[in-house]
Amino acid sequence: MMDLLKQIQSMKVKTFLTLVGGLWLAALTMTYIYVETYEFTKISDDSVIHQKECLDNFLKVFEDHKIPMILFDTDILPRLFQSMPRSWHDSEHKCKTLCKFHPEEKNVITFAIQGTKFHGLEESIQRELNRRGFTTHITMVVDPRYQEKGKPTLIPSYFWAAKKDHVIHIAFLYDRMTTYLWLAPVSPKDWKDTVDVLAPALSDGWHSMERIGAKFPTYAQAIDKGSHFLSFPLTIDGHKISVPYHIEKFLKQYKTSRFIECNHKRAQHFKDKFGSKLTEKDKNFQASAKKVVATAKKVLDKLNIPFWLSSGTCLGWFRQCDIIPYSVDVDFGVRIEDYDPKLIKRMERAGLPLKNKFGFQNDSFELSFISEEGVKLDIFFFYETEGYMWNGGTQAHDGRKYKYLFPKFTLCWTEFVGLKVRIPCEARSYIEANYGHNWMIPVKQWQWNLSPPNVATNGKWGDSEMEEAVQIYEIDFTKVKKKKKEGEDQEEDYDDYDDEEDTPPAQ
């Protein structure tokens, strides 16, 4: 009995000591956290005091000039709204200088404005900001919308203002084809000029600008004018500021917004050298092909299938900024992992029935659709291996397989036939792989399985595979038009369609 009492007493002592030790450790931890938090708050508050003064003075000038300001900062936006719903609906948000996000080591805030709102007010705005102690700088670029119409027109691309080691940056947004907003690229000279002007206003000069420069893309960008970007007005830190309506979608799109302008000088050189006169047949083909591009883009976009201009269509964009008039089809590329079995049915409902189906999803997959005017749309599905990407081709009559090899590439946006579409960012290497170094010279006799320098034989479909690997369909456009009209009349929701492919029996 005595032994049992001793054991209980020993356990109580151990428990007591453990409890005291735990409380001591907790107190020590809380003291450390308090000290660290106090120091961080102290540093941040000093920065925020300076930043608030700069922000209030800066925004007041633009408010006085009645220029709406959009918060465009990809660092601030996710933190500003991280605890809020995916879509922002409140009309007022008190934030205490943009939620104290920018301490001294990140002393820049990015806004955006519509470029047309700034026109004619440049001198007045700069003069007032200079009076308030800001150092300012505007970079200018040639407006690509009017490159083909004579004398180049310069437009402002970015506006910079620096004061007390804080920098405020404005990106100018320009409407393109009413469907997307365009942001200009930043050339090395633009950046050097900006550094030279602003660095004296910063205590550590170039080093501050170097950190700031690492944050911004130097390429042009394109942002859809979808509902997620419709600017939504809020009151933040006492100022009326708009934000993209759907923050999450905007940030996702921003990451993949790189834009490459078609080279209009190259296109003009091509026309001057090889002529630009079109026959009625050429004009009719181009008009029909543009309809196919627009229709197919609408279907693929609704299915969230990223596609890019490929083969001859990509060459037409790169060389001529247009569809090659003597071509016979439209060519798109799609990664095989992005294929959706609903694609065939959706295309048919849009008036583009399936004409050919070659290969299998795991090998040399290719779909061809055709319009009532006879323009074929080839969708080549690309596969990625360790060193390259490739798409397949199939000889219909004997099942021979071919493989087209491309260096790995990423995707950018461009404008083509009035639409915002993707192209390979590494466009020249993509074109040279497919057409060689003489791609500038028109070739009207082109054999798909022999002419490309990147084509290689890839075996042959076996007898047991042929029936499924090579499928060619007869098209009844009376039925196609009926299905298309039914879809238009009912305005059917794409999400209600069956997930299974709806393909006609092979002939």
Side-chain angles (χ1 to χ4, degrees), residues 301-316:
D301 285 351
K302 280 187 175 290
L303 285 171
N304 293 315
I305 298 177
F307 72 94
W308 63 90
L309 305 183
S310 191
S311 302
T313 307
C314 187
L315 175 62

Side-chain angles (χ1 to χ4, degrees), residues 336-351:
I336 190 61
E337 57 266 29
D338 291 324
Y339 173 64
D340 188 327
K342 297 190 287 291
L343 174 61
I344 294 172
K345 187 173 184 179
R346 305 280 179 88
M347 283 290 198
E348 183 176 25
R349 287 182 181 274

Side-chain angles (χ1 to χ4, degrees), residues 441-496:
I441 301 173
V443 178
K444 296 188 178 182
Q445 300 298 321
W446 183 264
Q447 197 164 343
W448 66 271
N449 59 342
L450 295 176
S451 300
N454 63 335
V455 67
T457 56
N458 192 31
K460 187 176 181 180
W461 297 115
D463 293 340
S464 61
E465 300 171 307
M466 276 291 287
E467 186 176 352
E468 189 174 350
V470 178
Q471 299 186 40
I472 300 173
Y473 305 100
E474 293 293 333
I475 307 299
D476 183 346
F477 271 100
T478 303
K479 293 181 179 178
V480 172
K481 284 190 282 188
K482 183 178 179 182
K483 286 188 177 182
K484 182 181 178 183
K485 190 172 189 312
E486 287 173 356
E488 291 172 349
D489 290 344
Q490 296 173 16
E491 294 184 354
E492 293 175 304
D493 186 346
Y494 277 106
D495 293 332
D496 290 337

Side-chain angles (χ1 to χ4, degrees), residues 262-263 266-267 270 309-325 327 416 431 435 439:
C262 176
N263 191 322
R266 181 192 297 139
F270 179 85
L309 305 183
S310 191
S311 302
T313 307
C314 187
L315 175 62
W317 165 80
F318 189 73
R319 186 176 69 186
Q320 296 154 250
C321 297
D322 205 348
I323 290 170
I324 298 174
S327 182
F416 181 67
I431 293 296
Y435 295 97
W439 50 265

Side-chain angles (χ1 to χ4, degrees), residues 75-124:
D75 286 330
I76 295 177
L77 283 171
R79 294 171 185 266
L80 184 63
F81 302 102
Q82 61 186 350
S83 61
M84 311 314 300
R86 292 172 62 192
S87 294
W88 184 261
H89 299 287
D90 293 342
S91 61
E92 187 169 322
H93 187 55
K94 296 176 181 177
C95 185
K96 293 187 179 178
T97 309
L98 299 178
C99 300
K100 296 185 180 180
F101 175 64
H102 286 279
E104 290 173 283
E105 64 271 15
K106 289 189 176 180
N107 55 348
V108 60
I109 300 174
T110 298
F111 293 97
I113 63 175
Q114 288 278 356
T116 53
K117 302 282 187 183
F118 191 71
H119 182 69
L121 299 174
E122 300 94 324
E123 291 185 9
S124 175

